[in-house]
């Protein structure tokens, strides 16, 4: 399994980097829409949908909602859009923050309080939209940052998000495997440990600090980005645990099988769905 994970990661990571840096904004938005549509397809079993027809309906509605936002918001001039549009963007991102705060409560209390949302497919569908739609918007907010001045500035922002999440994931895996003893949330994900979580946060901070050194960050930038890294890597664990909770409730091991050794697309982007909206807000309000 580890060999499959490594091979898939060696293919997937360069493909993601190439897409972030070299696709035009329009093409990148389209690719992200496809990724969210696959995520919606994989969300179907988490809602209890066994038939392909119902899953396709959910995919269609999710895609239409994202396409509507795309139509209403000028992606190429997102950061220079009229104030009313920027406020609408912020509302969607803050709505995602509210959802992830609720999700944190549901995850920590699981299996208590699970009766209501697990017995109503419409509620689980709403949770899916709150997970996927703001993720697409956050990626576009980040990728379009200063696009007219520097076409690669937004790509660099996204790469730092990926660097935080990926390094935390790697650090948590190896630290958890080597010295992990205290279970983090055994009712949700028995394999995750407190030591692994802390190791992931520390490893991410070290990795980001090294990257900052090579691009000559100032001390002021470090004072902003390192706390943001701690916040983002902590939230990334919530995204992972949240999907684990839904899979456990639905009796599903992986969200899909499209990625050998990794499961489905949701299994790979679960941390990003939680972190991307909050990372986008951090950059919008703090900058660095």
């Amino acid at each position: 399994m580890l060999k499959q994970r490594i091979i898939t990661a060696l293919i997937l990571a360069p493909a993601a980097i190439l897409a972030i840096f070299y696709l035009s904004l329009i093409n990148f938005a389209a690719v992200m829409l496809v990724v969210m549509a696959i995520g919606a397809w994989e969300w179907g079993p988490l809602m209890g949908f066994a038939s392909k027809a119902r899953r396709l309906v959910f995919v269609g509605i999710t895609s239409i909602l994202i396409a509507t936002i795309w139509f209403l918001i000028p992606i190429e001039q997102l950061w220079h859009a009229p104030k009313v549009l920027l406020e609408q963007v912020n509302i969607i991102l803050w709505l995602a923050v509210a959802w992830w705060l609720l999700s944190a409560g549901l995850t920590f209390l699981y299996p208590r309080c699970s009766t209501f949302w697990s017995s109503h497919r419409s509620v689980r569908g709403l949770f899916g939209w709150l997970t996927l739609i703001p993720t697409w918007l956050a990626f576009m907010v980040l990728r379009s940052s200063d696009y007219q001045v520097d076409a690669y500035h937004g790509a660099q922002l996204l790469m730092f998000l990926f660097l935080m999440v990926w390094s935390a994931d790697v650090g948590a895996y190896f630290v958890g495997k080597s010295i992990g003893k205290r279970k983090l949330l055994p009712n949700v994900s028995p394999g995750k440990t407190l030591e692994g979580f802390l190791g992931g946060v520390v490893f991410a901070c070290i990795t980001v600090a090294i990257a900052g050194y090579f691009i000559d960050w100032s001390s002021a930038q470090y004072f902003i980005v390192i706390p943001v890294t701690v916040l983002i890597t902590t939230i990334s664990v919530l995204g992972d645990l949240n999907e684990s909770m839904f899979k456990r409730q639905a009796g599903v091991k992986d969200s899909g099988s499209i990625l050998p050794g990794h499961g489905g697309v949701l299994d790979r982007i679960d941390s990003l769905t939680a972190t991307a909206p909050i990372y986008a807000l951090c950059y919008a309000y703090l900058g660095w």
Side-chain angles (χ1 to χ4, degrees):
M1 181 63 72
L2 179 59
K3 182 179 179 181
Q4 282 187 326
R5 287 176 67 90
I6 293 173
I7 293 173
T8 302
L10 289 175
I11 297 172
L12 198 61
I17 293 170
L18 288 172
I20 290 171
F21 276 93
Y22 295 110
L23 287 180
S24 67
L25 272 182
I26 299 300
N27 289 335
F28 183 71
V31 168
M32 287 304 303
L33 175 54
V34 171
V35 172
M36 294 303 113
I38 297 173
W41 171 263
E42 294 178 349
W43 197 274
L46 304 186
M47 297 169 62
F49 287 165
S51 71
K52 292 182 179 179
R54 289 186 175 185
R55 294 173 71 178
L56 284 172
V57 169
F58 185 71
V59 171
I61 295 175
T62 304
S63 301
I64 289 171
L65 290 172
I66 293 175
T68 301
I69 296 174
W70 187 355
F71 176 77
L72 294 175
I73 298 174
I75 297 299
E76 299 89 341
Q77 299 177 338
L78 184 58
W79 286 78
H80 306 287
K83 185 177 179 181
V84 63
L85 284 179
L86 292 177
E87 289 174 350
Q88 291 172 358
V89 169
N90 281 341
I91 287 173
I92 295 174
L93 295 180
W94 279 111
L95 187 62
V97 173
W99 152 238
W100 286 108
L101 287 173
L102 173 62
S103 170
L106 296 176
T107 304
F108 282 111
L109 291 173
Y110 185 80
R112 291 174 290 170
C113 304
S114 63
T115 303
F116 173 73
W117 60 261
S118 64
S119 59
H120 292 79
R121 288 175 176 171
S122 58
V123 174
R124 282 178 284 171
L126 177 61
F127 289 170
W129 288 332
L130 289 172
T131 299
L132 296 170
I133 295 172
T135 301
W136 179 88
L137 180 59
F139 266 74
M140 297 317 303
V141 167
L142 292 165
R143 184 63 187 88
S144 64
S145 176
D146 287 336
Y147 190 77
Q148 305 300 329
V149 178
D150 181 0
Y152 298 106
H153 177 70
Q156 293 170 359
L157 289 177
L158 279 175
M159 280 311 305
F160 265 99
L161 172 61
F162 276 65
L163 184 65
M164 293 174 187
V165 172
W166 286 349
S167 59
D169 192 28
V170 171
Y173 179 82
F174 286 104
V175 172
K177 285 288 185 183
S178 58
I179 62 172
K181 293 181 179 179
R182 300 174 182 85
K183 300 298 183 183
L184 191 60
L185 279 177
N187 288 336
V188 176
S189 183
K192 285 187 169 34
T193 63
L194 179 60
E195 292 85 355
F197 160 66
L198 295 175
V201 173
V202 171
F203 188 70
C205 289
I206 293 172
T207 305
V208 169
I210 292 172
Y213 173 79
F214 281 107
I215 60 177
D216 199 24
W217 271 352
S218 66
S219 58
Q221 288 173 304
Y222 277 109
F223 279 122
I224 295 175
V225 181
I226 296 302
V228 168
T229 302
V230 173
L231 174 65
I232 292 303
T233 50
T234 300
I235 295 169
S236 72
V237 177
L238 172 60
D240 195 347
L241 290 171
N242 175 259
E243 196 210 352
S244 295
M245 176 181 68
F246 284 121
K247 289 192 296 186
R248 180 170 291 273
Q249 189 68 26
V252 175
K253 184 180 184 297
D254 293 317
S255 65
S257 57
I258 193 173
L259 302 173
H262 292 265
V265 167
L266 277 179
D267 294 317
R268 282 298 84 211
I269 68 169
D270 51 8
S271 296
L272 291 170
T273 59
T275 55
I278 297 168
Y279 180 80
L281 285 171
C282 284
Y283 182 73
Y285 286 101
L286 298 176
W288 52 80

